[in-house]
């Protein structure tokens, strides 16, 4: 049996309304409309409503809309449907995004943070399908986790479960999530760029060279992609950065494996794109750090939904709302 689901992804710079058809353990993105994030939450909700109505008008033969899911960066109160001042959404202070949409469309509406939403999507339709204990790691702009434990989404008492990026892995290091040496500091797009800049600056100051950056004028333009591109070409400094990132990722995974004993860890974004470089380093670190019995029971895999996980995420929240 197929069902039509609606999704709303709220980001700091852009938003998207999505329609999807879920059937037989899979989801198909039927239509999507993206728009720049408006200046106010009220305008954002209004534009989403208009975008969803337009999508539904174009998909009138797909059947009735069954539910709407909303994916947004935290902090949130998912039980009350409130967005609670995310750092990338100024002015979103205790905003109820669920009630206006429920009233407008007359279907169940639910809200989850983006990591939880991605975990649900991978669990229902992606690389986590068929398991009862799953950890999903974002590993993109930031480092967050969504947790499926004993066949249920685990959000914690304050909707803050899974904030693994805040874990400190070293006393010092690149800053992520407001903390030097954190998991997010080492394992995020921004953290990798900062590591690349720090090592390239030192190399240039010592009179050396690196493909990551031709000269001091280019230091501020270093990105995580530039580091990995240079690593694929064999650049020594880039490979040093990748080695450090891989070891810290392995150490963070070891903590999760030892504490949660999951069956599968699914990693998105950067890991999914750079698995060939990172996996050997990660697995070697895991062999040193994790409990062998727990490690032997856990698979480490890239996102099965790949670059489409963001679209599927809000739709999975809609499906979750139906119980």
């Amino acid at each position: 049996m197929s069902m039509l689901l609606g999704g709303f992804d709220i980001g700091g710079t852009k938003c998207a309304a999505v329609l999807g058809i879920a059937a037989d353990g899979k989801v198909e993105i039927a239509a999507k409309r993206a728009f720049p994030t408006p200046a106010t939450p009220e305008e954002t909700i209004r534009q989403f409503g208009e975008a969803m109505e337009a999508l539904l008008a174009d998909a009138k033969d797909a059947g009735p809309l069954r539910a709407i899911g909303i994916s947004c960066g935290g902090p949130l109160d998912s039980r009350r449907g409130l967005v609670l001042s995310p750092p990338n959404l100024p002015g979103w202070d205790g905003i109820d995004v669920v009630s206006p949409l429920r009233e407008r469309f007359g279907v169940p509406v639910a809200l989850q943070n983006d990591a939880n939403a991605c975990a649900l999507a991978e669990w229902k339709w992606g690389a986590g399908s068929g398991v009862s204990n799953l950890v999903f790691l974002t590993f993109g702009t930031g480092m967050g986790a969504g947790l499926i434990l004993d066949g249920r989404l685990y959000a914690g008492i304050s909707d803050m479960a899974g904030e693994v990026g805040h874990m400190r892995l070293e006393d010092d290091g690149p800053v992520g999530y407001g903390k030097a040496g954190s998991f997010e500091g080492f394992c995020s797009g921004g953290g990798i760029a900062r590591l690349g800049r720090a090592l390239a600056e030192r190399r240039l100051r010592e009179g050396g060279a690196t493909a990551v950056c031709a000269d001091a004028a280019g230091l501020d333009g270093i990105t995580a992609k530039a580091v990995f591109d240079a690593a694929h070409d064999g650049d020594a400094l880039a490979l040093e950065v990748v080695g450090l990132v891989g070891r810290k990722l392995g150490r963070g995974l070891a903590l999760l494996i030892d504490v949660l004993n999951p069956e599968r860890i699914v990693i998105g974004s950067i890991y999914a794109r750079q698995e060939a470089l990172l996996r050997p380093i990660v697995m070697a670190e895991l062999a040193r750090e994790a409990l062998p019995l727990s490690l032997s029971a856990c698979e480490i895999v890239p996102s099965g939904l790949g670059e489409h996980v963001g679209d599927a995420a809000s739709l999975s929240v809609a499906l979750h709302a139906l119980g």
Side-chain angles (χ1 to χ4, degrees), residues 120-194:
L120 285 170
E122 289 288 348
W123 183 43
K124 292 297 183 183
W125 303 312
S129 178
V131 306
S132 297
N133 291 278
L134 166 76
V135 176
F136 174 82
L137 296 178
T138 56
F139 196 8
T141 303
M143 170 60 82
L147 309 175
I148 306 293
L149 303 179
D150 290 336
R152 297 179 62 184
L153 176 67
Y154 180 76
I157 193 64
S158 303
D159 249 8
M160 292 292 286
E163 297 293 347
V164 298
H166 201 243
M167 297 190 305
R168 192 185 298 278
L169 299 183
E170 296 291 347
D171 289 338
D172 198 10
V175 175
Y177 209 141
K179 182 185 285 186
S182 65
F183 195 8
E184 185 169 299
F186 286 107
C187 297
S188 65
I192 294 167
R194 284 188 286 274

Side-chain angles (χ1 to χ4, degrees), residues 105-121:
F105 293 96
V107 297
V109 180
L111 169 70
Q112 287 291 341
N113 77 49
D114 46 7
N116 286 352
C118 288
L120 285 170

Side-chain angles (χ1 to χ4, degrees), residues 8 16 20 33 36 42 53 67 73 82-83 101 118-119 139 146 174 194 206 209 219 235 265 281 315 322:
F8 183 21
R33 287 198 177 192
E42 294 78 14
E53 286 181 348
L82 302 179
V83 179
L101 299 175
C118 288
F139 196 8
R194 284 188 286 274
E206 293 171 349
L219 286 170
D235 181 76
I265 297 178
I281 306 165
L315 299 174
L322 295 171

Side-chain angles (χ1 to χ4, degrees), residues 180-266:
S182 65
F183 195 8
E184 185 169 299
F186 286 107
C187 297
S188 65
I192 294 167
R194 284 188 286 274
L195 279 171
R197 282 195 290 272
L199 269 64
E201 184 176 18
R202 184 184 67 191
R203 176 68 58 85
L204 293 172
R205 193 168 54 243
E206 293 171 349
T210 171
V212 173
C213 177
D215 52 42
L219 286 170
D220 289 341
I222 293 175
T223 63
K225 183 180 184 301
V227 171
F228 280 106
D229 286 347
H232 280 289
D233 291 338
D235 181 76
L237 184 139
L239 288 169
E240 182 181 351
V241 174
V242 171
L244 180 58
V245 172
R247 289 191 297 276
K248 299 309 178 189
L249 179 58
R251 184 165 297 184
L253 295 183
L255 292 171
L256 296 172
I257 288 170
D258 288 353
V259 172
L260 297 174
N261 191 200
E263 186 175 351
R264 197 166 296 160
I265 297 178
V266 180

